[in-house]
Amino acid sequence: MSTPLQSIQNESLAGRAPPSPPPSPLLTRHDENRAPEPSPATVERPAKRRKVDVDSINNKTDEEVWNFEDSEIIDGLRSKWKSDAYNHFTPSLVRDLSTTPRTIKIVLTCKFGDPKHNSFERLRSATGTFNTSNMLSSVKTCVSRDPSRASSIIVQSAPPGALEYSEDHARAFNQVEDKWYRLEVEMLRPGTVVPSADTVAEDVQRLYVLLARDVKKYFAQRNRELHNLVDGWTAPIEDQYLGAVIVWEDAGKIFEIVLEFIPLTDRHTGEYLASELAEVLNKYGLAAFLHFLMMDNAGNCNTTATCLVRHIPTFRGMLARGRCFTHIIQLVAKAVISFFFKQAKRKKTVKAKTGSVKRSTAVTAPIESDDVEEVILWEDDPSADAEDLALVAEIHEPEDDTAPTGQDLHDAKVTNTIRDVAIRDMRAGGIVISAVEEKDALKVAGLAKKVHESRPIHTEFMAIIENPATGLSKDSNVTELARRNATRWGSEYNCLRTRHILEPAVDALLADKNLKLGSYKFTARQKTLAVELETILEVLDGPTKLFQSQNRPLIVDVIPEMEDLDYMLRSINESSDLSNVTRVAAYAGLLVLRKYYALLDDCEAYRIAIVMCPDRKLQWFRERGWKDDQISEIRSLVIRRFTESYKTSASATPAATSPSDTISTSSTSKKSRLSDRFRRPTVSFDNTTSESDNIHTYLDAPSTEPTSGVIEYWNSRLVLTSTNPSIPATPDLARFGLSFCSCPEAQLSFDSCIR
């Protein structure tokens, strides 16, 4: 499909220099020996298309429009054609000179050139329009001869590029009615009829219906598992939706599409969400293929996974319910940061079951029941939401669904918050936060805000940075203090990191008494705490960036990253050379991490995915210190799941081998960082392998590092190909590996996903 600009370029040779003129016959012999000077290049303006009022054309007689171009007359006719049937035909005009006055006939010919499809004709001057009922009937017959022609019934009244413009630029449909947009179209293609916003919206709706058929057909032919990402999404107009995204693998690559935005009109209970999700999956014929469901850590998401089994019997419930890892990191970060920044007072309102008396209290004790609505707010903290605060505030789950009394809530606040449990446990080990440490609240965000919002201070700070005498590192490209974003915990890390990098410039700025910034100056103790907090947040920032940078993060990396985080937080917690508040904060983060690490045991996909990575297998668990009975349980799980759902070919005799993986002491980081001292050593592999479409043979063979990613590894083993005859086909293992290793990890940001 060409753009309006391309159409102009195709219509003329505008902008090209004309050819050089032939040599003049009047040139002398001397002049003939000299190359003629080229004519100066000229730029011809493209012939503008006449701006035509379509309504005016339609009201004119055939004689009055006789000198108009066919395209101008047809554009006028198109403005009156509302039926989809017209898009199956190519319109043309036949001018009759034999009549008085002269007449113009409209001819509609099948655009697919089907000789069995008769054309439609009528005089332009005739009243009314074509018989669209007969046209639609003929179109249906034509499409029945070749179903690929079905797409022709999409309304094409929007000019080429209108739909693409709205999609690519994430603009609303009414963008086409913006006066500046229309002026741009008129400048590029004079006389172009710009559709209304309603027309574009109708086009998209028709595309949606037609493409939905293709989606259903594609997955029916593919006939393999897929995965579902689900999250809530609120539109700017406050309408609430359940965003459903499907993820799948094909030809060694991971794909994803937004399947549906489901309008939510009822309370967001797990049963309601499950019924709505199941309805959409059934509409597309995908319910039977659902393998893995990724949601956040809210309690109603657990109920959704459980209730979904009633709607989709082939779904495995909590065994296939994933938890968003980046959300877990966010909770860990909030628990850590709470020890370093002054926290606003918490409020909590617990509303009992429908019809009961509402109770209000100022303490925080979570209730994870779909029948109870929980609202938790932090005053003056827009980043806090009910879900996050409920999860950070608790360490122990209630043993029953009984609504707690006021005394129960008070006791829970004292004993069951992450912060209190961390302080209590560390105090029992002799690590106590002193009163001085507790009062040392950092002021990093305040200084950054002051520098950005005050023009004199900002100007002075930039002058200090640009002064070579300041002593800043020439290797760093940081020239600004990062600002705190109340909705992103990573902004706390960026505030610390940029202040640390620009420390000489910050010290020079704070030394200027005229600016009155002395209150933002760090004491020696605060400088120490800032570096230590930066270290912890750097540990958390690594896996966050890892999962955000990948096109689609997969669960095969979740448990390894959680293990590494556990190792590093534990190392920080046990480091006697760090401040007590830092050690207690690391322990609080560790409690949050381990809480959700334990909950991953409810889902079989995480462990199976690691085992089905050829560079990990069961040996990965041995290296991480898992007990023999735990490894034996994982092996039984993998064998049982493979045998029940994926084994189709005859089993080969298992080959017993012993792993020979070794530990390397080299660091995983090429560049020295604050957190390097707390990182785990790397692992090397024995690249010998034994191939057989048998789960026992696979498990007993040593770990092998694949030459490509794990998805490409298993995709290459689905069938034996002539291009890679050396790679044996293990279709059962390949389907097993692809089903679990392709499970997506992180929640989607639907705001960016729809762009």
Side-chain angles (χ1 to χ4, degrees), residues 347-393:
K347 287 185 177 181
K348 178 178 179 63
T349 298
V350 177
K351 184 170 68 177
K353 296 183 179 181
T354 304
S356 62
V357 179
K358 181 178 179 181
R359 297 168 301 167
S360 179
T361 180
V363 295
T364 56
I367 302 173
E368 292 191 1
S369 171
D370 283 340
D371 296 327
V372 179
E373 179 183 355
E374 180 180 50
V375 180
I376 305 176
L377 300 176
W378 283 15
E379 294 177 341
D380 302 323
D381 185 0
S383 68
D385 55 63
E387 175 187 308
D388 291 349
L389 295 175
L391 295 173
V392 169

Side-chain angles (χ1 to χ4, degrees), residues 363-432:
V363 295
T364 56
I367 302 173
E368 292 191 1
S369 171
D370 283 340
D371 296 327
V372 179
E373 179 183 355
E374 180 180 50
V375 180
I376 305 176
L377 300 176
W378 283 15
E379 294 177 341
D380 302 323
D381 185 0
S383 68
D385 55 63
E387 175 187 308
D388 291 349
L389 295 175
L391 295 173
V392 169
E394 49 121 344
I395 184 60
H396 301 300
E397 300 286 348
E399 296 182 358
D400 54 50
D401 293 334
T402 305
T405 64
Q407 183 63 45
D408 292 334
L409 293 172
H410 173 75
D411 293 342
K413 192 265 179 182
V414 175
T415 60
N416 291 345
T417 64
I418 290 289
R419 184 184 175 93
D420 291 337
V421 171
I423 293 174
R424 182 193 64 198
D425 290 354
M426 293 298 288
R427 183 186 294 116
I431 307 300
V432 180

Side-chain angles (χ1 to χ4, degrees), residues 166-171 229 231-234 236 243 245 256-258 261 488 547-548 550-553 746-755:
S166 295
E167 178 183 2
D168 292 346
H169 296 272
R171 301 292 180 87
L229 288 163
D231 196 12
W233 187 78
T234 301
V245 173
E256 65 183 29
I257 60 171
V258 179
F261 280 104
R488 297 289 185 268
F547 283 97
Q548 290 177 346
Q550 296 178 357
N551 292 332
R552 166 47 52 202
Q747 284 294 103
L748 285 179
S749 171
F750 285 100
D751 290 328
S752 60
C753 189
I754 63 177
R755 291 183 182 273

Side-chain angles (χ1 to χ4, degrees), residues 88-365:
H88 192 89
F89 298 90
T90 300
S92 60
L93 303 180
V94 176
R95 301 172 187 259
D96 191 351
L97 298 172
S98 62
T99 61
T100 304
R102 295 173 295 185
T103 58
I104 299 176
K105 182 188 297 184
I106 310 166
V107 180
L108 300 180
T109 309
C110 176
K111 66 168 57 177
F112 299 100
D114 190 337
K116 297 181 180 180
H117 194 172
N118 296 328
S119 60
F120 289 82
E121 301 179 0
R122 66 182 292 273
L123 291 175
R124 176 181 174 276
S125 59
T127 59
T129 59
F130 286 94
N131 188 329
T132 54
S133 298
N134 291 340
M135 290 172 59
L136 285 171
S137 177
S138 69
V139 168
K140 184 177 180 180
T141 303
C142 182
V143 170
S144 66
R145 289 193 287 268
D146 185 351
S148 66
R149 302 171 182 173
S151 60
S152 66
I153 66 173
I154 303 175
V155 174
Q156 298 291 340
S157 52
L163 297 179
E164 291 84 349
Y165 182 87
S166 295
E167 178 183 2
D168 292 346
H169 296 272
R171 301 292 180 87
F173 298 143
N174 60 9
Q175 170 66 21
V176 297
E177 297 183 351
D178 180 77
K179 67 175 183 178
W180 299 111
Y181 173 77
R182 288 177 174 265
L183 181 62
E184 179 183 6
V185 172
E186 177 62 24
M187 178 181 66
L188 295 174
R189 181 82 178 209
T192 298
V193 179
V194 179
S196 67
D198 291 339
T199 299
V200 178
E202 290 172 1
D203 287 358
V204 172
Q205 291 173 1
R206 288 179 173 85
L207 282 170
Y208 166 79
V209 172
L210 291 173
L211 292 175
R213 302 172 189 168
D214 293 336
V215 169
K216 185 174 182 179
K217 180 180 179 181
Y218 167 80
F219 284 104
Q221 293 175 344
R222 179 177 176 270
N223 195 29
R224 293 218 310 273
E225 292 93 339
L226 53 80
H227 318 295
N228 199 184
L229 288 163
V230 179
D231 196 12
W233 187 78
T234 301
I237 56 177
E238 300 303 324
D239 289 340
Q240 295 181 333
Y241 297 87
L242 187 68
V245 173
I246 53 174
V247 179
W248 72 100
E249 54 75 28
D250 194 9
K253 297 180 180 179
I254 299 294
F255 299 90
E256 65 183 29
I257 60 171
V258 179
L259 185 66
E260 192 92 48
F261 280 104
I262 308 169
L264 298 179
T265 58
D266 205 342
R267 292 180 60 243
H268 302 174
T269 63
E271 171 59 39
Y272 172 64
L273 298 180
S275 64
E276 293 294 310
L277 180 60
E279 181 180 349
V280 168
L281 292 175
N282 280 309
K283 180 174 72 172
Y284 287 91
L286 305 179
F289 303 129
L290 180 61
H291 179 70
F292 182 76
L293 178 67
M294 171 57 68
M295 304 183 76
D296 60 30
N297 298 287
N300 60 342
C301 295
N302 297 333
T303 311
T304 300
T306 302
C307 294
L308 197 58
V309 178
R310 295 201 292 267
H311 301 277
I312 306 177
T314 55
F315 182 65
R316 297 174 67 86
M318 291 298 292
L319 289 174
R321 184 264 202 263
R323 294 178 177 271
C324 179
F325 179 47
T326 53
H327 184 221
I328 295 174
I329 296 178
Q330 177 182 338
L331 300 177
V332 173
K334 287 186 175 183
V336 171
I337 291 173
S338 68
F339 285 85
F340 293 88
F341 293 87
K342 289 181 179 179
Q343 302 301 308
K345 181 181 178 181
R346 304 180 206 175
K347 287 185 177 181
K348 178 178 179 63
T349 298
V350 177
K351 184 170 68 177
K353 296 183 179 181
T354 304
S356 62
V357 179
K358 181 178 179 181
R359 297 168 301 167
S360 179
T361 180
V363 295
T364 56

